């Protein structure tokens, strides 16, 4: 017996003896032990909640600090008043102040006051006389949707990035890259929330989720931010893509088509980002290839495959949208015929259409269309 095992057994024995000796006379040792376990569990849950609240507060302070430093970089030189008026004439109605609101506010139930030192630290880093920046319309943070603060921060960040990369406000923000881990943390939590929602989507739903997917695609499309996000969130992104796919394929209730269209549009939005398009196309083609193999073994759609057969056409629609976008952009680095699923699809394309055209004419018609689009992508490349 090694020392670690001996100490563990000794500790357990000492704990058992202590419980037995302290057990009240009118209570059995088992009941008293269960009572102590419940007390410890409640305390652990309370402390865990406090830790999570403090972590959320720290992350929001990091949000504010990063945005403050970036704003200072944007307005460090030149006349911000004339620059903004030249770029956004008459946009005061849709303009919000980044100084007054970094998008990191909490609801009353969630808000906890930071220490005076932390508050002074953030305020001391903030510019004092900058004009408001145009940003997208915000949703109020709510208890039901605690992800709002992450969304606000990421939207503010994108707007700042857009301003610094165009017009006379062009500014180099590369020296803030060491702080972009804050962005990755928020994206990771936003993805967690998106996965939870899409696993059991409720309709009609808030436009928040649609905006969240748009924001996510915009962040990953940014050449600087994408490196940091993908380094931490690539597995989570892959899980999100698979979650969307499974929602489309597994829906079997009568009025499912609204949900499927909504989720399909989310996949198209994600695929608008060239860095994600290849993985999404490959994922969808993998499902199409697998189901094509299944149809090759039967003569007609059996009852067990009827729902899956209907749902697969949503994948066709998403694939067509993404491949048309690929052809239009002429992006040679995104979709290529070196992908195994694309190779498999094209190698069996003509033979599959010939074998299945009589039994499944509509299905093979969409296969034919996909083949044309994939070959047109190759022609562009």
């Amino acid at each position: 017996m090694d020392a670690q095992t001996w100490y563990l057994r000794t500790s357990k024995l000492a704990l058992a003896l202590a419980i037995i000796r302290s057990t009240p006379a009118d209570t059995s040792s088992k009941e008293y032990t269960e009572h102590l376990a419940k007390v410890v569990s409640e305390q652990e849950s309370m402390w865990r909640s406090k830790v999570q609240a403090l972590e959320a507060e720290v992350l929001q302070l990091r949000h504010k600090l990063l945005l403050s430093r970036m704003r200072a970089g944007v307005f460090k030189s030149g006349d911000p008043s004339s620059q903004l008026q030249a770029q956004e004439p008459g946009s005061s109605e849709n303009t919000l102040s980044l100084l007054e609101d970094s998008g990191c506010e909490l609801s009353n139930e969630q808000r906890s006051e930071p220490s005076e030192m932390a508050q002074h630290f953030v305020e001391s880093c903030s510019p004092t006389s900058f004009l408001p920046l145009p940003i997208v319309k915000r949703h109020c943070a709510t208890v039901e949707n605690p992800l709002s603060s992450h969304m606000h921060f990421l939207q503010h960040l994108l707007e700042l990035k857009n301003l610094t990369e165009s017009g006379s406000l062009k500014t180099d923000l590369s020296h803030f890259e060491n702080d972009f881990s804050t962005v990755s943390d928020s994206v990771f939590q936003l993805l967690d929330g998106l996965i939870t929602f899409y696993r059991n989507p409720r309709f009609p739903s808030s436009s928040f989720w649609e905006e969240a997917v748009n924001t996510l695609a915009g962040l990953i499309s940014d050449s600087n931010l994408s490196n940091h996000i993908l380094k931490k969130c690539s597995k989570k992104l892959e899980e999100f893509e698979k979650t969307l796919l499974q929602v489309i394929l597994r829906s079997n209730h009568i009025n499912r088509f609204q949900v499927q269209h909504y989720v399909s549009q989310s996949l198209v939005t994600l695929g608008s980002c060239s860095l994600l398009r290849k993985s999404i196309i490959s994922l969808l083609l993998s499902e199409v290839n697998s189901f094509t193999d299944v149809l090759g073994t039967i003569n007609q759609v059996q009852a067990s495959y009827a729902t899956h057969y209907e749902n697969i056409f949503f994948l066709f629609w998403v694939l067509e949208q993404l491949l048309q976008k690929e052809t239009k952009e002429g992006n040679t680095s995104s979709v290529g015929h070196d992908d195994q699923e694309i190779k498999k699809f094209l190698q069996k394309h003509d033979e599959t259409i010939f074998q299945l055209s009589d039994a499944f004419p509509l299905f093979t018609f969409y296969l034919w269309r996909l083949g044309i689009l994939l070959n047109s992508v190759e022609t562009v490349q």
Side-chain angles (χ1 to χ4, degrees), residues 93-105:
E93 183 178 347
N94 296 320
T95 297
L96 297 170
S97 174
L98 281 175
L99 298 175
E100 296 176 356
D101 177 14
S102 68
C104 305
E105 73 276 8

Side-chain angles (χ1 to χ4, degrees), residues 88-325:
E88 290 288 336
S91 63
S92 58
E93 183 178 347
N94 296 320
T95 297
L96 297 170
S97 174
L98 281 175
L99 298 175
E100 296 176 356
D101 177 14
S102 68
C104 305
E105 73 276 8
L106 289 171
S107 62
N108 292 332
E109 293 80 356
Q110 293 172 301
R111 182 178 292 123
S112 57
E113 294 298 327
S115 66
E116 293 181 4
M117 182 179 296
Q119 185 67 25
H120 173 72
F121 177 61
V122 173
E123 291 175 353
S124 65
C125 297
S126 301
T128 56
S129 59
F130 296 156
L131 290 179
L133 293 178
I135 60 172
V136 292
K137 184 178 180 181
R138 302 163 300 154
H139 294 274
C140 294
T142 62
V143 179
E144 293 78 10
N145 193 357
L147 296 172
S148 295
S149 60
H150 297 291
M151 261 282 286
H152 299 162
F153 163 67
L154 295 172
Q155 287 179 332
H156 281 72
L157 180 70
L158 275 178
E159 289 298 320
L160 271 171
K161 290 279 292 178
N162 291 339
L163 282 176
T164 61
E165 292 170 1
S166 62
S168 55
L169 284 174
K170 195 169 285 188
T171 309
D172 181 17
L173 297 180
S174 60
H175 51 285
F176 294 112
E177 288 193 13
N178 291 334
D179 299 319
F180 283 167
S181 61
T182 305
V183 180
S184 301
D185 292 341
S186 283
V187 170
F188 192 90
Q189 294 193 39
L190 186 62
L191 278 168
D192 257 342
L194 283 166
I195 290 170
T196 300
F197 169 76
Y198 277 100
R199 280 177 177 165
N200 187 26
R202 298 177 182 178
F203 290 90
S205 65
S206 165
S207 61
F208 172 87
W209 304 105
E210 183 180 351
E211 288 188 24
V213 176
N214 277 315
T215 302
L216 187 62
L219 289 165
I220 300 175
S221 296
D222 185 279
S223 57
N224 293 322
L225 294 174
S226 61
N227 295 330
H228 300 274
I229 294 172
L230 294 176
K231 189 178 296 183
K232 178 173 182 176
C233 305
S234 58
K235 293 294 183 182
K236 187 64 68 173
L237 274 166
E238 183 179 338
E239 182 184 354
F240 181 42
E241 293 170 3
K242 290 180 178 179
T243 299
L244 295 177
L245 172 64
Q246 292 307 314
V247 170
I248 295 173
L249 292 178
R250 292 181 179 178
S251 296
N252 56 11
H253 51 88
I254 296 176
N255 298 319
R256 66 184 183 274
F257 301 111
Q258 181 189 12
V259 174
Q260 289 172 313
H261 178 74
Y262 184 91
V263 177
S264 298
Q265 187 58 57
S266 297
L267 273 172
V268 172
T269 300
L270 278 182
S272 65
C273 171
S274 59
L275 289 175
L276 299 179
R277 194 177 304 146
K278 181 177 181 179
S279 64
I280 295 175
I281 289 176
S282 181
L283 179 66
L284 300 187
L285 274 180
S286 174
E287 188 62 40
V288 170
N289 287 334
S290 297
F291 193 62
T292 300
D293 293 339
V294 171
L295 292 182
T297 63
I298 58 179
N299 294 324
Q300 60 183 3
V301 179
Q302 300 172 358
S304 57
Y305 294 113
T307 300
H308 198 98
Y309 181 83
E310 292 174 353
N311 294 344
I312 204 79
F313 288 96
F314 283 95
L315 303 194
F316 284 136
W317 180 79
V318 175
L319 282 167
E320 287 189 0
Q321 300 300 310
L322 297 184
L323 289 172
Q324 286 171 2
K325 188 172 186 63

Side-chain angles (χ1 to χ4, degrees), residues 9-42:
R9 290 184 177 180
T10 303
S11 300
K12 287 182 177 180
L13 178 60
L15 177 62
L17 290 173
I19 292 174
I20 292 172
R21 288 179 179 179
S22 60
T23 301
D26 58 343
T27 306
S28 68
S29 297
K30 179 180 179 182
E31 292 175 342
Y32 187 58
T33 302
E34 292 174 348
H35 168 72
L36 291 176
K38 182 179 179 181
V39 170
V40 172
S41 176
E42 289 175 350

